[in-house]
Amino acid sequence: VSSGGHSCVQRRRIETTTGGGVWMEPTTTTPSAEDRFVPFIGLALEDHGGMGADILNFRKGQHVAIFSENKQAGTYQGQCGPDTGKFPSYFVKRVDYIDKVGFLTKRGAMWKSWKTRWWQLSQSHKILEYRATPSVAPLGAINLAQVIEVRMLEPTEIPPDAPKSFTSTSLGFFQITLPERTYYIYGEKEDSLAWVAAINAAMRPSTPLTTSGRRPTNPRSQS
């Protein structure tokens, strides 16, 4: 997200399952690839606290999800646990082993309900975790060594119980196929494409792909 002024801005609220949601910083309606801020996880170097409602408090050593940056003010907008707010950027450093983060919505395994989760991809650890909100314990994790296939879905392949308020033109649906389960996930189309590319990149070279671009159906499990 660029910190300069724009003539057309909007705020986007992402609902979470803990009540309420996350307000994203104003962004241009058509940001360029150069201006688009890529969220990341930061490690708090010192305690930070303040009195304002828009100030984020956290303790040294906690992970903080960073959503946007105001370069002129030298601040980040982020979330720690259920709380969101701003803070000086020098209070955190990037966590290098977490390669990609962000909110995506997935379908549940048993009840088939669609819930927004916070996802974290670690290429070095070969793991994809999802949480209710940033900086809380994972609700689940996908071992990338066991993934058979990750791909975008065609409109005709989107599950019929997907939210009706969205269209396939504005959202990107993709699936992660494992031997015991298939995850159905969606986000903004550009984000979904980036996630599919990042997950596929993280899967290499732990298990060779077959000539069809799929993983073997009986991959070796990590110890």
Side-chain angles (χ1 to χ4, degrees), residues 157-208:
E157 298 177 299
I158 296 174
D161 59 356
K164 303 300 183 182
S165 58
F166 300 111
T167 66
S168 58
T169 58
S170 62
L171 295 178
F173 286 78
F174 65 96
Q175 68 179 34
I176 302 176
T177 305
L178 291 90
E180 73 283 1
R181 177 184 176 184
T182 296
Y183 288 81
Y184 292 98
I185 304 168
Y186 75 82
E188 297 294 331
K189 180 168 288 186
E190 184 177 350
D191 288 340
S192 294
L193 288 167
W195 273 101
V196 169
I199 296 170
N200 274 305
M203 288 164 60
R204 300 190 296 264
S206 59
T207 306

Side-chain angles (χ1 to χ4, degrees), residues 102-114:
F103 284 103
L104 295 167
T105 302
K106 77 173 188 70
R107 188 172 74 168
M110 182 174 295
W111 301 109
K112 309 302 182 185
S113 59
W114 295 82

Side-chain angles (χ1 to χ4, degrees), residues 9-65:
V9 298
Q10 60 181 3
R11 297 183 77 205
R12 182 162 61 97
R13 182 178 175 86
I14 300 177
E15 298 299 330
T16 67
T17 57
T18 57
V22 176
W23 281 107
M24 305 299 286
E25 282 290 286
T27 61
T28 60
T29 54
T30 55
S32 67
E34 297 174 347
D35 291 336
R36 192 161 182 260
F37 185 86
V38 178
F40 66 93
I41 293 294
L43 178 67
L45 302 175
E46 298 291 343
D47 294 353
H48 180 262
M51 297 298 293
D54 61 341
I55 302 299
L56 180 63
N57 298 323
F58 50 77
R59 305 283 294 181
K60 179 180 179 180
Q62 284 190 301
H63 281 178
V64 183

Side-chain angles (χ1 to χ4, degrees), residues 50-174:
M51 297 298 293
D54 61 341
I55 302 299
L56 180 63
N57 298 323
F58 50 77
R59 305 283 294 181
K60 179 180 179 180
Q62 284 190 301
H63 281 178
V64 183
I66 312 299
F67 298 132
S68 62
E69 179 182 16
N70 185 326
K71 292 183 178 179
Q72 292 180 344
T75 60
Y76 285 137
Q77 181 79 12
Q79 179 172 355
C80 186
D83 301 320
T84 63
K86 63 183 179 181
F87 60 92
S89 57
Y90 56 79
F91 270 85
V92 300
K93 69 174 182 179
R94 183 185 295 266
V95 178
D96 293 333
Y97 64 84
I98 300 178
D99 300 286
K100 187 170 178 60
V101 298
F103 284 103
L104 295 167
T105 302
K106 77 173 188 70
R107 188 172 74 168
M110 182 174 295
W111 301 109
K112 309 302 182 185
S113 59
W114 295 82
K115 295 182 179 180
T116 300
R117 302 301 190 196
W118 173 260
W119 295 75
Q120 295 184 182
L121 172 66
S122 174
Q123 183 169 348
S124 59
H125 295 175
K126 302 296 182 185
I127 201 78
L128 177 63
E129 296 177 338
Y130 53 92
R131 295 163 158 79
T133 61
S135 308
V136 299
L139 295 172
I142 298 173
N143 183 346
L144 299 184
Q146 298 178 348
V147 173
I148 300 171
E149 183 183 38
V150 181
R151 68 178 180 88
M152 297 294 293
L153 295 179
E154 298 293 337
T156 56
E157 298 177 299
I158 296 174
D161 59 356
K164 303 300 183 182
S165 58
F166 300 111
T167 66
S168 58
T169 58
S170 62
L171 295 178
F173 286 78
F174 65 96

